[in-house]
Structure formats: C-alpha cells, structure tokens
Amino acid sequence: MKEDPPRTMEAFARACGVSRPTLSKFFEDPESVKPSTRALITAKLEETDYQPNLYARNLNRKRTRTIGIVVPAITDPFYAQLVTRLELLLRAEGYWPLTISPHGQPDLEVEALRTLQSLRVGGALIAPLGFASDAEAMQRFVEATPCIFLDNAIGGMASFVGNDNRQSIGTMVDYLCRSGEAPVYINTPPVNPGTGERCAAYLAAMCAHGATPLVLESQTETPWDLERVGFERMQALIAAGLPGRTLLCANDRLAFGVIAAAHEAGLRVGHGEGYDLRVAGHDDHPLSRYSAPSLTTIAQDYEGISRTASAHLLALLSGETPRGTVSSTQLPAKLVMRASA
C-alpha cells in the first residue's frame, strides 16, 4: 500500500532523513543548509507535495515575519492605494502583510490591535481612526510592537509618515487665488488631527495672500461617508445662497459630493467664462480624473509615503533604529490641474 504523505514537520523531517532543526533552517532560509541537504529536502517536497504549517511555525516564534496593516476603511481608495503599495513592498522584503480594517468603528480598531498582538506580528503600519481611537489601547500596542503611524498620528506615540498638509493646502490656495476668486474652504467632519492641520494650513495660506478666509464645517453621524457629507453640505449651501464661486474641499471624496449636488441644481462647474463655480479637492483620488468635470486636486505621494513608512518599520525590526525612537516625516504633494478649477 502507498505510504501516507507526511502531515507534520516531524514526520517530514524523518522522511527526509534530517533533523527537525535542520528542516526549520531550510524553511527559514534554504541557503542556510548544505547544498546536498537542500537538494534532498527539495526532492522530497516535490515527491510528497508537503506544505509546512506557516501559521503554527509563526506562533512558535517570539516574533513572526507577519506585518500588520490597519487602516480606517479599506473601501476608501486613499487607503486602498496605500495598502496595495505597502503589501507589495513588504512581500518583496520577505514579510507577510496582514491587513485589517475597523470600518471606522473604534471598538473594531481595538479588536484589530488585539488580533495582531495575539498573532505576534513582527511590526505594524497603522493609520489610526484619530480622535475616536482608544489612546490607551493604542499606547499599549505601540509599547509592545514596533509600529509606524500613517496619515495621522496619536500623541507622538510612534514615528509618523504622511503628507505635508501645510505645503499641499498652501500650494492649492496659491493656485486658486492666482487664477481666480479666493476659495471658501469646505471641511470634513473632525475625525483626526489631519482635519485640523489642513484647515489651519488654509487659514495661513489665505492670510499670506491677504484674502479673507471662510471655513464651512460639516457635521454628520456618518463621518466616513464623505461623498454623502459633501452632497448634503452643498445642497444646504445652495439653498442658503453660495458664499463664493470657488470652493476648496478638504478631500476629493467630499468634492465629488459637492460637484454632484451642483450638477443636480443646474450649476456648471469649471474654470472660465460660462461656469458658475470652481471646485477643487485634495488627495488625487483614483476617480478624480474621471469625474465630470475632472477634478483639480493635490496628488499625495502615495509611493513615497509607502516606501518611507516601510523602510522606517524595517529599520526598527532590524535594530538599525532603536526602539522608542519617534520621528515625523512629512512628504510634499503636487498640484494637478484639471477641468473643475
């Protein structure tokens, strides 16, 4: 009768005629064992189609080669772009990315942190919810696990990599003031420190141009449903009378809702003669070039943010950067001029 294939590391080691530690070394790094041993194990793998239980092997380590990635909402294309780049970069370095989204819910963010700790991840890249985050739970996680914050930081607990909001908003305000009427700012609900940073950057840029700033806040029970927030905010503005003919939205998703409400009201969005108002955004959402009209916006450096954050985390894991080191890296963004402004 045909012998049953090995199902455990111990059984496969016996089938190969090598010790269990030697087999572990091979799966960790094939080049770490002798060529003859490597050839023997490789041949037996092909013969038996054995697959090691990587999850069980990870749990036997103090730290694994799994890297946790936590973002507020994976359905948000901004975070989806970051996650895609981070996963590919980490895989190229021999790590296994594990992405979890709390869907904007604080209790699910705490659960995500507990899950990553239970899996003994080697490190984590986290874009916190922001003001809704459980600061104590986040602090405990950061103290136990090498971590880099993305997009926004919480109280200087860990190093941060993200956009330079002062530079990017300043660039957009400068363009709008030079090309037409100074912008009115439509803010997102105050979900994280980045919200305040962008608003402060708008106020500073308007002051530098000698223009009068006007900030329109948005309040809602669904702060992550930004297209809806922008749509309803614009409907209210149209009903009350628009305060200006140039609108700068805190992000592109908000701008999509604003443009949709303007279109529904019969207003023409664009730059030049025959248009009723200009609309600009921030982030360079993947659909911003395909909106109607295409959206003038600020393109964050997704690639630079992803590479820098990954490099910082890997430096922590290798010991090149001492644990407890806290730094802030803010990358500049670029103006993208399209039809809406």
Side-chain angles (χ1 to χ4, degrees):
M1 294 180 63
K2 186 177 180 180
E3 186 177 344
D4 290 338
R7 300 184 182 278
T8 67
M9 287 277 281
E10 289 76 8
F12 186 68
R14 288 195 299 272
C16 293
V18 301
S19 67
R20 175 68 165 74
T22 297
L23 189 60
S24 292
K25 285 180 63 180
F26 170 84
F27 283 126
E28 186 70 31
D29 178 11
E31 299 297 325
S32 66
V33 301
K34 294 187 299 183
S36 58
T37 302
R38 186 164 63 248
L40 181 67
I41 296 173
T42 300
K44 187 61 70 172
L45 281 171
E46 294 177 355
E47 176 187 332
T48 62
D49 198 30
Y50 172 73
Q51 295 292 330
N53 187 333
L54 298 179
Y55 178 76
R57 289 178 63 228
N58 272 340
L59 291 183
N60 287 329
R61 298 172 176 168
K62 186 176 181 181
R63 287 275 178 209
T64 73
R65 293 188 69 81
T66 300
I67 299 296
I69 302 174
V70 181
V71 296
I74 197 63
T75 53
D76 187 321
F78 168 76
Y79 292 117
Q81 289 202 64
L82 281 182
V83 167
T84 298
R85 287 166 169 79
L86 291 171
E87 287 186 346
L88 293 174
L89 287 167
L90 292 171
R91 286 180 181 277
E93 294 294 332
Y95 288 88
W96 302 313
L98 172 62
T99 301
I100 305 177
S101 169
H103 307 293
Q105 300 182 40
D107 57 330
L108 293 185
E109 184 178 65
V110 173
E111 182 181 281
L113 299 178
R114 290 173 178 165
T115 298
L116 295 180
Q117 282 188 310
S118 70
L119 294 175
R120 302 177 190 173
V121 295
L125 295 158
I126 300 178
L129 289 178
F131 298 128
S133 294
D134 185 325
E136 292 185 1
M138 191 68 73
Q139 180 70 54
R140 289 194 297 271
F141 180 84
V142 169
E143 289 175 352
T145 308
C147 181
I148 301 294
F149 283 151
L150 301 164
D151 192 41
N152 69 88
I154 298 181
M157 300 178 190
S159 291
F160 165 76
V161 178
N163 183 67
D164 185 342
N165 287 315
R166 188 176 183 88
Q167 176 270 336
S168 60
I169 291 291
T171 298
M172 179 60 82
V173 170
D174 179 65
Y175 165 70
L176 294 174
C177 286
R178 286 188 293 103
S179 59
E181 182 181 290
V184 173
Y185 188 75
I186 301 181
N187 207 3
T188 61
V191 293
N192 58 45
T195 305
E197 287 179 7
R198 290 188 185 181
C199 186
Y202 163 77
L203 295 174
M206 290 288 281
C207 180
H209 277 274
T212 303
L214 177 58
V215 176
L216 305 177
E217 299 291 353
S218 301
Q219 298 294 334
T220 178
E221 294 181 357
T222 56
W224 293 101
D225 191 1
L226 292 169
E227 293 84 0
R228 177 181 176 183
V229 172
F231 185 85
E232 294 179 349
R233 191 71 180 91
M234 186 61 174
Q235 283 184 317
L237 289 176
I238 293 171
L242 288 174
R245 295 184 65 251
T246 299
L247 305 177
L248 171 55
C249 300
N251 62 46
D252 290 350
R253 292 181 59 195
L254 200 68
F256 293 155
V258 166
I259 290 174
H263 174 75
E264 188 175 274
L267 299 174
R268 297 189 64 199
V269 176
H271 181 68
E273 294 289 336
Y275 291 99
D276 299 299
L277 73 157
R278 298 188 298 165
V279 177
H282 192 291
D283 292 343
D284 200 22
H285 184 293
L287 297 180
S288 61
R289 70 183 61 191
Y290 304 113
S291 62
S294 58
L295 184 64
T296 291
T297 186
I298 287 288
Q300 290 202 48
D301 185 359
Y302 293 100
E303 189 68 27
I305 292 172
S306 302
R307 287 190 177 280
T308 303
S310 298
H312 283 3
L313 181 60
L314 295 179
L316 279 174
L317 298 181
S318 68
E320 179 182 343
T321 300
R323 285 290 302 275
T325 301
V326 176
S327 63
S328 178
T329 304
Q330 298 179 332
L331 302 183
K334 295 180 180 180
L335 174 67
V336 180
M337 292 181 288
R338 299 192 181 106
S340 70

